[in-house]
Amino acid sequence: MTYRPLDATLLSSTTEVSGDSTHSPGLALENKPGLVSDFIRYIFDALVWTFLSGSVSVVGIVTNIINLIVFVRQGIWTESVTASLAGLAVADLCCVTTMFCNCVNFAILLVQPSGIPWDPLSVMFIASGWPRIMFTRVTCWITAYVALERCMCVVLPFKVKRLFTATRSMIVIGCIFVFVIGSYIPIFYTQRLQNVLDPATNVTKLRMVFTADKEQVEIILRYTNDIIFPTITMLTVIICTQLTIARLNASVKWRMNNANSGYVCAETDIELKTNLNNNANDSYETKRKIVSPRKTSTTVPATSTKETKVVKMITLICTIFIICNSPCVILFYSKLMEPEFDNYKRYHNIYYIIYSFDFLLETINSSINIVVYYKMSTKYKQEFRNLFGMNANNI
C-alpha cells in the first residue's frame, strides 16, 4: 500500500498554473528524513485520525444534540447563561460533525478505493478540514465570552443581570459566528473544489484548485486566525477563570470568618442573631443589632448558592477548554520559533503526530460538556431526566 500523508503541501507540490488559478493534477509523496518514521505516522493516521477521533465525534454529535434540546426546553431567552451555553452547543455540534466527516474522508484516503469521482484528500480539506477548524475557533470565542460573563457575575454581582441579558448574549453569539466565518472566507476563495483532468491517469476527478494569490492570503490568515485570535481567546479564558476562582475563594473565606457572628446582609449591614431563650412561651428571641460596615462586605460579593454552582460549572468547562486547546496555541508558537517544525521539514512527522493529538483533544473538548452539565447543574439534570422520561425526584 502506498502511503499518502495528510498535508496541504502535497496538493501544491505538483501544481500547474493555468490562467488565474493553480490546479493540482495529482498528489506526490516527498520523502525527507524525520524523527518519526512514515510507518509510525501511518499507524497514527489509522488510530488517531480514523478510529479515536471518529468515535469521539459520534459521541459528541449525540451529546451536543441532547445539550441543545435541554437548553431549548429550559428556555434560551430566559437566562443569559442558558443562551450562551446553547450557542456553545451549536458550535460544538458543528465542530464534531465536520470532524466526523473529516474522519470518514480520511478512512477513504487510507483505503484508496479506485473509481471514486473525487479526491478524498481534497474533499477532506475543503468540505470538512477547514470548516472544522473554523467552528473550533467559534467555540473558543464563545467559551471566552462565557468565561467573561461568569467572571463579571462574581466581580459585579448586582450589575451582571443588567449587563448580560439573554437577548444580548444571543446577539453576541450570532456576531461571533458571523465574525469567525467571515475571517475564513478568503480561505475558501483561494482553495476550492473543481473537476480536474489528471494527465497521469487521464481521469477527471473533483480536486482542490488554488488561486494565484493563495500564498499571500495564507500568510496573513496564518497570523490572525492561527496565532492572534487563539491567543486572545486563550488569555481571556485563563484570566477570567483565575479571577473567578480567586473571588470564589475569597467569598468562601469571608463567609467562614463571619459564620459565628450570624447572617450578614451585605446591602444593609444588619446582623441578625438568633438565640435560644429559656422562656417557654417564647422559644426564640431575635435580637437585632446594627453593626458598623465591614471592609470585606463591600469587596466580596455575597453570591447566591445557585449562582455559585453555575460559576463553578463554567469554571470547570473553562478549565477543560484550557487543557484541550493549549496544545494548539503552543504548536503554532513552536512553528514560529523553529521553522523546521512544520509540514515536510526536518520535524515534519513529529509535528504531524502532535497536530493529530491536538485535533483529538479539541474534539474531546467539544464532546464532554454534557458530563459537566449533568454532574454540576441540578436544573440541567432535572430537564435531562424529564426529556428521557426518567424519575426526576431522585436528583
Side-chain angles (χ1 to χ4, degrees):
M1 177 182 296
T2 303
Y3 172 61
R4 299 191 300 177
L6 174 65
D7 285 312
T9 53
L10 293 181
L11 294 172
S12 58
S13 59
T14 57
T15 56
E16 295 179 354
V17 180
S18 174
D20 61 346
S21 297
T22 305
H23 299 270
S24 173
L27 299 174
L29 178 60
E30 184 179 354
N31 292 316
K32 290 187 178 181
L35 297 179
V36 179
S37 67
D38 287 339
F39 176 75
I40 295 178
R41 180 172 162 177
Y42 181 83
I43 296 300
F44 270 84
D45 288 343
L47 180 63
V48 178
W49 281 99
T50 305
F51 178 71
L52 291 179
S53 296
S55 301
V56 175
S57 299
V58 172
V59 174
I61 292 173
V62 175
T63 58
N64 281 290
I65 290 176
I66 294 175
N67 287 340
L68 194 55
I69 294 175
V70 171
F71 291 137
V72 170
R73 287 167 64 99
Q74 288 180 349
I76 58 177
W77 296 102
T78 58
E79 293 185 3
S80 174
V81 64
T82 305
S84 301
L85 294 181
L88 182 61
V90 173
D92 285 337
L93 179 61
C94 294
C95 180
V96 294
T97 301
T98 51
M99 186 62 190
F100 176 74
C101 296
N102 201 70
C103 295
V104 172
N105 277 296
F106 202 94
I108 296 175
L109 179 66
L110 293 178
V111 177
Q112 298 187 32
S114 59
I116 57 174
W118 72 88
D119 176 66
L121 184 63
S122 299
V123 174
M124 179 167 54
F125 267 96
I126 298 299
S128 56
W130 283 116
R132 194 216 70 88
I133 296 175
M134 179 178 66
F135 288 119
T136 300
R137 299 292 181 263
V138 175
T139 297
C140 294
W141 281 107
I142 296 179
T143 305
Y145 173 75
V146 172
L148 177 63
E149 178 190 20
R150 289 301 96 185
C151 181
M152 292 297 101
C153 178
V154 297
V155 174
L156 302 172
F158 303 114
K159 297 181 180 180
V160 67
K161 293 293 184 181
R162 297 192 298 270
L163 293 175
F164 295 92
T165 63
T167 302
R168 289 178 181 175
S169 292
M170 295 293 288
I171 294 175
V172 171
I173 299 298
C175 291
I176 289 175
F177 271 92
V178 173
F179 170 74
V180 175
I181 293 175
S183 68
Y184 278 87
I185 288 179
I187 291 289
F188 296 100
Y189 166 75
T190 59
Q191 304 176 23
R192 64 194 72 170
L193 293 174
Q194 183 175 314
N195 286 320
V196 178
L197 177 64
D198 188 350
T201 60
N202 198 28
V203 175
T204 300
K205 284 190 176 184
L206 191 65
R207 296 183 182 275
M208 185 189 298
V209 297
F210 305 122
T211 59
D213 56 351
K214 168 183 173 291
E215 295 297 330
Q216 292 81 356
V217 173
E218 280 193 350
I219 290 175
I220 299 175
L221 296 181
R222 187 180 299 121
Y223 284 96
T224 56
N225 292 352
D226 293 341
I227 296 177
I228 297 177
F229 292 158
T231 301
I232 292 175
T233 56
M234 183 64 66
L235 288 178
T236 301
V237 173
I238 292 175
I239 293 173
C240 290
T241 302
Q242 291 297 322
L243 283 175
T244 302
I245 294 174
R247 299 292 286 187
L248 281 178
N249 291 336
S251 179
V252 171
K253 183 177 180 181
W254 177 81
R255 290 177 182 178
M256 291 179 62
N257 291 337
N258 293 274
N260 296 328
S261 59
Y263 298 93
V264 179
C265 178
E267 294 178 334
T268 61
D269 288 318
I270 295 178
E271 182 181 12
L272 301 178
K273 291 186 177 181
T274 305
N275 299 319
L276 183 63
N277 189 2
N278 292 327
N279 190 344
N281 296 327
D282 187 9
S283 301
Y284 293 93
E285 178 187 6
T286 303
K287 296 181 180 180
R288 189 168 181 225
K289 176 184 177 183
I290 305 298
V291 297
S292 60
R294 294 184 177 92
K295 183 178 180 180
T296 54
S297 64
T298 60
T299 58
V300 180
T303 310
S304 66
T305 303
K306 176 184 175 182
E307 289 294 331
T308 301
K309 290 182 178 180
V310 174
V311 169
K312 289 182 178 180
M313 180 183 70
I314 300 300
T315 301
L316 181 56
I317 292 174
C318 293
T319 302
I320 296 174
F321 167 82
I322 293 171
I323 295 173
C324 293
N325 287 270
S326 293
C328 177
V329 179
I330 297 173
L331 196 64
F332 285 118
Y333 276 101
S334 299
K335 290 172 62 177
L336 289 179
M337 293 183 291
E338 176 53 69
E340 292 296 319
F341 187 67
D342 203 345
N343 288 324
Y344 282 88
K345 295 185 179 180
R346 181 179 180 185
Y347 308 108
H348 64 282
N349 275 354
I350 191 171
Y351 166 82
Y352 178 77
I353 290 174
I354 295 175
Y355 201 72
S356 302
F357 277 115
D358 170 60
F359 266 46
L360 178 60
L361 286 174
E362 290 176 343
T363 308
I364 292 174
N365 175 70
S366 296
S367 307
I368 201 174
N369 286 341
I370 189 173
V371 179
V372 180
Y373 299 150
Y374 190 84
K375 291 293 184 180
M376 303 191 67
S377 175
T378 303
K379 185 178 180 181
Y380 178 93
K381 187 175 183 178
Q382 181 177 3
E383 195 63 52
F384 178 91
R385 297 173 72 90
N386 290 337
L387 176 64
F388 291 96
M390 304 167 66
N391 183 14
N393 295 325
N394 188 17
I395 298 178

